[in-house]
Amino acid sequence: MAQLMDSGDVSGDVSIAPSVQGSDRFPAPDAAYVHIPFCRRRCFYCDFPISVVGDTRRGENSGAIAQYVTQLCTEIRRTPNLGTPLQTIFFGGGTPSLLAVEQLETVLTVLKQQFGLAANAEISMEMDPGTFDLAHVQGYHACGVNRISLGVQAFQAELLQACGRTHQPDDIPIAVEQVRRAGIDNLSLDLISGLPHQTLEQWTFSLEQAIALTPQHLSVYDLIVEPGTAFARRYKPGDKPLPSDTLTAEMYRLAQQTLSTAGFQHYEISNYAKPGYGCRHNLRYWENRAYYGFGMGAASYMQGQRFSRPRTRREYFEWLEAGMPMDDPVATEGDRLLDRLILGLRLANGLSLTTLEQEFGHDTVAQILTTLKPYEERGWVACQLNQHLRLSDPDGFLFSNTILAALFEQFSDD
């Protein structure tokens, strides 16, 4: 699967990038990711940059959260406006629904003041069942939040407990009802397959329960045992009680068939949406478009440069105090090509070969097609009229790691 000490005053007029407008080569960002790192506890599969605040701490009564919001707003104010109003904002975490309404409003106000906000902007917020009530979600909606991503993960108490979640199955329909009552009609649910002890019958039930809640969007992730997580200390990939590769592949195919039958479009490897409800913010990532990133551990992509912030609060605050230095290496042409391929091939629509040729040249596109020829022969890769390159659904998506590894080996500068 599938993100302490007080610092001194970090105010001041410091920028992390030249204050220039976007260019044809590097268009200005029109999206912002905002990382809210706080969680009541760390899930056993999680390797995201988070801070655990316990079961009873919320933004209303947590000094740590209040201090972080102040420093986060400092970073936003110091970041130059490159000239395009924000079309999307995504509050991720962590558990952003631990924020007080006033804290979310403060961050949104600073974003609007610094960058501007389009009238029809998509403003998404990740929330966990059991971490908010109706008044909170009504307050978030009043601030401008119009899309909720709800971290459901499973509909079985034993599976939720096995992966360290804090909510129970009964919390899920209550949370969905609260979102609907608040007037938010763009709802996404997250599910995880491949959990320890998970059976195909349990996965079928979770899919059916999720569909019954009538979300507009579903994200379906296969568990990856990340180094340093509680799961990594307990299990080795491929060992029981983790499901076998054969079973997880069957789960993936079942999700694709079940959700497609229910009217969801499989528009990205792990994401399904009713027509018109694909996540506009995440599409910017997969289309390799520029975006701002703010907060502990957040990544940004501006003027052709990717940059990640420190992953702990103390280091993040120290980075702010030091003037927000941006010292990641400059992306090479090979890096840019791999970004385009690895991200774009996640999408059902794939990549335009014409666009690739315009940016990277005819010889590079020919080399890409040669590298992918063995996978095209297996039916995992499709090249439509020599104009569009995409992975097949479901098999190409299932074996995407193998396909992308071949591309990485061919085009990596290392």
Side-chain angles (χ1 to χ4, degrees):
M1 258 284 306
Q3 299 245 336
L4 300 176
M5 59 182 288
D6 292 342
S7 68
D9 178 27
V10 295
S11 60
D13 185 14
V14 183
S15 296
I16 62 171
S19 182
V20 297
Q21 302 296 303
S23 64
D24 290 341
R25 185 181 182 193
F26 298 123
D30 65 357
Y33 172 80
V34 183
H35 190 68
I36 307 299
F38 301 98
C39 286
R40 289 181 169 175
R41 68 184 69 167
R42 181 180 285 274
C43 298
F44 300 152
Y45 52 77
C46 174
D47 73 336
F48 299 153
I50 69 164
S51 292
V52 175
V53 294
D55 287 347
T56 60
R57 305 293 293 278
R58 289 193 59 88
E60 291 93 335
N61 56 22
S62 170
I65 295 177
Q67 182 191 31
Y68 179 83
V69 169
T70 298
Q71 305 289 51
L72 176 65
C73 290
T74 296
E75 183 191 357
I76 295 169
R77 290 189 182 102
R78 290 179 175 178
T79 301
N81 180 344
L82 297 180
T84 303
L86 297 177
Q87 299 288 332
T88 70
I89 300 172
F90 195 105
F91 287 90
T95 311
S97 47
L98 292 180
L99 287 179
V101 172
E102 294 78 9
Q103 290 168 333
L104 178 79
E105 183 178 26
T106 295
V107 177
L108 277 170
T109 297
V110 174
L111 285 166
K112 293 174 188 176
Q113 290 172 343
Q114 188 68 10
F115 304 108
L117 186 67
N120 65 340
E122 174 193 87
I123 303 179
S124 299
M125 187 173 186
E126 291 182 344
M127 303 175 73
D128 283 355
T131 62
F132 61 91
D133 57 24
L134 178 59
H136 277 97
V137 72
Q138 286 174 328
Y140 299 147
H141 186 40
C143 292
V145 173
N146 51 26
R147 183 179 183 275
I148 297 297
S149 178
L150 197 64
V152 170
Q153 317 312 0
F155 283 84
Q156 295 82 15
E158 62 271 25
L159 291 182
L160 292 172
Q161 182 178 9
C163 58
R165 300 294 291 177
T166 60
H167 69 277
Q168 295 297 316
D170 289 346
D171 295 324
I172 299 169
I174 294 172
V176 170
E177 180 186 8
Q178 290 170 339
V179 170
R180 299 296 194 203
R181 287 181 62 189
I184 297 175
D185 59 4
N186 191 349
L187 173 66
S188 178
L189 305 181
D190 288 358
L191 296 175
I192 302 179
S193 63
L195 291 169
H197 303 285
Q198 191 175 35
T199 66
L200 191 63
E201 290 73 24
Q202 289 174 321
W203 181 236
T204 301
F205 181 78
S206 286
L207 291 169
E208 291 172 346
Q209 291 296 107
I211 291 169
L213 292 172
T214 65
Q216 284 68 43
H217 189 283
L218 279 161
S219 296
V220 179
Y221 302 109
D222 182 41
L223 175 70
I224 297 174
V225 179
E226 300 285 4
T229 62
F231 274 172
R233 294 189 290 273
R234 297 178 187 179
Y235 311 124
K236 293 181 179 179
D239 290 351
K240 292 183 177 180
L242 296 175
S244 67
D245 289 344
T246 300
L247 180 54
T248 57
E250 191 171 355
M251 289 177 174
Y252 187 89
R253 290 190 172 96
L254 178 64
Q256 188 267 350
Q257 181 179 10
T258 302
L259 296 176
S260 296
T261 301
F264 291 87
Q265 296 173 341
H266 192 188
Y267 73 101
E268 192 270 345
I269 285 181
S270 301
N271 287 276
Y272 299 78
K274 289 296 180 71
Y277 284 95
C279 180
R280 289 165 51 193
H281 182 85
N282 287 343
L283 279 166
R284 280 162 167 77
Y285 300 151
W286 301 318
E287 292 169 355
N288 204 36
R289 295 163 64 181
Y291 56 90
Y292 301 101
F294 300 109
M296 172 182 129
S300 56
Y301 181 40
M302 303 188 303
Q303 297 176 276
Q305 177 78 19
R306 297 192 186 276
F307 176 72
S308 296
R309 287 138 191 80
R311 289 175 59 89
T312 70
R313 273 194 291 146
R314 182 177 65 182
E315 291 172 336
Y316 173 62
F317 292 167
E318 290 173 348
W319 173 76
L320 285 169
E321 188 172 13
M324 299 161 56
M326 190 168 81
D327 53 9
D328 283 26
V330 176
T332 66
E333 182 169 306
D335 293 333
R336 291 191 296 107
L337 174 62
L338 284 171
D339 283 345
R340 184 65 57 85
L341 293 172
I342 290 171
L343 294 169
L345 287 176
R346 295 185 62 90
L347 290 168
N349 289 337
L351 289 161
S352 164
L353 292 176
T354 301
T355 302
L356 282 176
E357 185 168 332
Q358 289 171 349
E359 185 170 357
F360 298 102
H362 174 80
D363 290 347
T364 297
V365 170
Q367 194 174 8
I368 291 169
L369 295 177
T370 298
T371 303
L372 295 180
K373 188 66 174 178
Y375 308 108
E376 185 178 11
E377 292 171 352
R378 297 184 197 183
W380 298 354
V381 174
C383 184
Q384 299 172 319
L385 302 175
N386 292 322
Q387 294 297 317
H388 230 68
L389 186 68
R390 64 176 183 83
L391 303 186
S392 62
D393 184 11
D395 285 351
F397 283 159
L398 264 173
F399 294 100
S400 61
N401 286 344
T402 299
I403 298 166
L404 297 177
L407 290 168
F408 188 87
E409 182 178 359
Q410 182 66 46
F411 295 103
S412 175
D413 295 323
D414 296 335

